Amino acid sequence: MKFRKISRATSMATAITRAAQAAAALSICSGAAATPSPAPRPPVAEKRPHEIRAPFGAVRNDEYYWLRDDSRKDPDVLGYLQAENAYADVVLAGSRPLRETLYREMVARVKPDQSSLPYLRNGYLYYSRFTPGADYPVAARRKGDMDAPEQILLDMPVMAKGHGYFSATELVASPDNRLLAYAEDTVGRLQYSLKIKDLESGKLLSDQVTNVQPNFLWSNDGRTIFYIDKNPVTLRSQRIMAHDLGSPVSADRLVYEEKDESYYIHLGRTSDGRHLCIRSEATLTAEVRCAPADNPARFKVIVPREKGVFYRLDHQDGRWIARTNKDAPNFRIATARDADIGTGWSAWSDIVAASDQVVIEDAKAFATFLAIEERVDANKRIRLLDNSGQSIVAKADESAFTMRLSVNESFDTPWARYTYHSLVTPQRTYELNAATGERRLLKAEGVPGHDPSNYALERIWATARDGTKIPVTLAYAKGFRRDGSAPIYQYAYGTYGASLDLGFEPFLPSLLDRGIVYAFAHIRGGGELGKAWADGGRTLKKMNTFTDFIDVTRHLVDAGYGAKGRVMAVGESAGGALMGAVANMAPQEYRAIVAQVPFVDGVTTMLDPTIPLVTNEYEEWGNPANKRDYDYILNWSPYDNVRAQDYPAMFVGTGLWDSQVQYYEPAKWVARLRATKTDHNPLVFRTGMEAGHGGRSGRFQRYVAQAEYIAFGLERLGVTR
């Protein structure tokens, strides 16, 4: 029986692959007449009864549960995924010319020798640079100034050879500048290895730790490195360990273990360099413990955890600085002297009071001022507040934009670096002087052939069905006429209180130049308008996220920004849950839906604490182990609400090694859609067999993926060139 199943899956993949090869051959034969072949049949996944039981007794049948293979080795599962990929090749063959055109346009907007802006750390200027055509950068530094000889830290194009996936990140030099710690992943599962390189000899030390979070701290004497050990099953950041150089990993010391499975842990150093800190964070609650960097033997809790109270810390001139939501839903900035910590929030006084109109998203201490990221009317801006209470707000050049603090390693300076960009303006890096207000442009990312003045930005407010006003940022080519005929590309996220900030992407001009209106919907569940906005799309109010997106679509059509029947909806990860929900709830509103690495199996996944991310996200989605949350999640879960109805054309993408949203969620969802939907619109399922949550590694690979699904959607909208 098992042999027959394997043979069926293998032969299915082989047959579809041959059809794809034939289609490819026809497409390159200029002028050759060909008899149209019958439409290929999509793969059909076998149904195998499997009961999912909730603790309180509810039972559901999950007939595609067998597609879950945690080892990623089951030949039945791999055969099905390969068959889907081969079928996708056939279905997408017709859009290949547009796909290739889009890819060429995107890549042409990426500078071949792209490089980062150098920043100063401990006497060295650090930067990365690409050589033309390279997928991976070279990480380098120069001592003192950029005229000094270059020292290559990591030659990533060489390191990546032979790997289908490669990532090297979290490069941290030791205090004496002699050693480099970094994290390496060659699978895409985000299970990194800690490696240490001797920068004088160029050789790797024998000190190597596997299954770590890419987040390290050196002790001030450079003899010890602190790292985060991940749970091998759930991948939860679980324990802080200390490794002494030259000693066996088996001798590493446990510094801290987070027992509560709803928390993750992180490592950080205060901006003044005086303290090493461990952050324990759930979705809505946090606790920080710190130790002197010169003697990190004992980490002391700064403020004990209190459910619903979130805070992060920095340190400046004998006092602690906290960004906290304690008695401040949109956060405030408070301070306490060193001698007063550990006594609770009563010892803390405001530096920046809470506001209903301003959301404080980050704060960084410098010697004489604070740099603050704050959000006003859904736009993120930078404000510098000096120690006397005087403030300077960075200038904005457009109506819809994003500013974000950049790398600021120098503590004793009046200058703060930040980035500025929008949907039509590529990133610019500025520095702002806290004493004089002077703004200096340090670098403007050059985009060949792109002129921001050819495009327009507009912020509008759509009305939701409950009367709530939803901000929507639009971009379109100048000369656009609001006559109700344009195609629309609508994107949103709407989860975790996260604000997906507006930034330029190489694919955007390709849309706008073709007359498409790009709509970025700031729906509830995101953080654009503060905590109330985030809470309005969380747990038992999650349905607002989905209905907001649908109501934005209807508003755009009614207001003449686009045509009914010419809307393409796109979402990723938690935004894929959004795509799955709107596909079930309002399929008639969309001509095409793209769901990348989508979270679509809400009940089954959230019932299983062994799956990565689950225990940390009960405060976001709810815990279906209790009936109230179970019933609510079941009401919107895309997989559980697939029904016999017409669906739009759909493109679903995943990565086999995705650790954030497991590949089998979209695999099961697609299988159930194929077996249930009543239309003949194309449903394409693409699995990256060497990809993780962010797709394949390498700077050009994401444009390959984007060009494929964008071409699929544009053809559905009637845009074929």
Side-chain angles (χ1 to χ4, degrees), residues 167-429:
S167 173
T169 187
E170 188 67 11
L171 282 63
V172 185
S174 59
D176 62 5
N177 295 311
R178 188 176 61 85
L179 302 175
L180 180 76
Y182 66 96
E184 182 179 281
D185 177 15
T186 57
V187 175
R189 189 73 176 151
L190 302 186
Q191 292 178 285
Y192 287 84
S193 293
L194 163 61
K195 297 186 175 183
I196 300 175
K197 182 178 180 180
D198 186 321
L199 295 176
E200 294 177 355
S201 68
K203 296 180 179 179
L204 289 176
L205 303 187
S206 59
D207 309 71
Q208 180 173 323
V209 189
T210 59
N211 193 38
V212 303
Q213 186 83 2
N215 182 197
F216 317 128
L217 286 178
W218 288 97
S219 61
N220 277 3
D221 62 11
R223 297 177 182 175
T224 302
I225 189 164
F226 296 88
Y227 65 90
I228 300 173
D229 179 48
K230 300 178 77 168
N231 183 294
V233 177
T234 67
L235 306 187
R236 184 175 70 90
S237 51
Q238 185 169 319
R239 302 189 301 169
I240 304 294
M241 306 294 293
H243 174 75
D244 296 329
L245 295 186
S247 66
V249 172
S250 60
D252 290 357
R253 304 185 309 278
L254 176 65
V255 176
Y256 174 72
E257 181 171 9
E258 178 54 64
K259 302 287 189 180
D260 191 327
E261 293 185 345
S262 66
Y263 284 74
Y264 291 135
I265 47 180
H266 311 267
L267 287 165
R269 185 186 298 266
T270 57
S271 295
D272 60 6
R274 295 182 180 179
H275 300 271
L276 307 184
C277 296
I278 300 169
R279 302 195 327 260
S280 294
E281 294 182 351
T283 303
L284 302 174
T285 308
E287 180 179 67
V288 184
R289 44 184 40 84
C290 300
D294 289 332
N295 181 27
R298 180 173 174 267
F299 285 78
K300 180 180 179 180
V301 173
I302 305 302
V303 183
R305 69 184 65 180
E306 178 183 335
K307 187 163 181 65
V309 175
F310 193 95
Y311 71 97
R312 287 187 179 172
L313 292 176
D314 210 340
H315 193 265
Q316 175 203 70
D317 191 26
R319 65 174 183 168
W320 290 91
I321 309 291
R323 181 184 73 93
T324 179
N325 66 349
K326 174 67 173 176
D327 302 322
N330 288 338
F331 287 85
R332 62 187 174 106
I333 300 178
T335 184
R337 306 301 301 180
D338 288 354
D340 296 330
I341 63 168
T343 59
W345 289 108
S346 60
W348 296 73
S349 58
D350 280 356
I351 298 175
V352 179
S355 168
D356 292 335
Q357 288 75 42
V358 179
V359 183
I360 299 174
E361 295 197 346
D362 198 7
K364 179 177 176 58
F366 291 74
T368 59
F369 67 96
L370 298 178
I372 303 168
E373 288 183 359
E374 58 185 23
R375 192 174 296 275
V376 180
D377 292 333
N379 289 323
K380 184 189 283 189
R381 70 185 188 188
I382 301 297
R383 180 155 66 103
L384 306 186
L385 178 68
D386 69 22
N387 291 350
S388 69
Q390 299 299 310
S391 68
I392 297 169
V393 176
K395 178 185 177 182
D397 301 313
E398 295 165 294
S399 61
F401 59 88
T402 293
M403 298 182 194
R404 185 181 294 115
L405 289 172
S406 185
V407 180
N408 286 281
E409 291 289 335
S410 299
F411 181 68
D412 192 9
T413 174
W415 296 94
R417 283 189 182 186
Y418 67 96
T419 58
Y420 175 98
H421 54 180
S422 74
L423 291 176
V424 301
T425 301
Q427 181 172 293
R428 299 171 181 171
T429 303

Side-chain angles (χ1 to χ4, degrees), residues 19 30 53 132 150 174 266 284 349 387 396 486-487 491 526 531 663 698:
S30 58
R53 293 183 175 272
E150 180 181 73
S174 59
H266 311 267
L284 302 174
S349 58
N387 291 350
Y491 183 88
K531 186 176 187 297
Y663 79 88

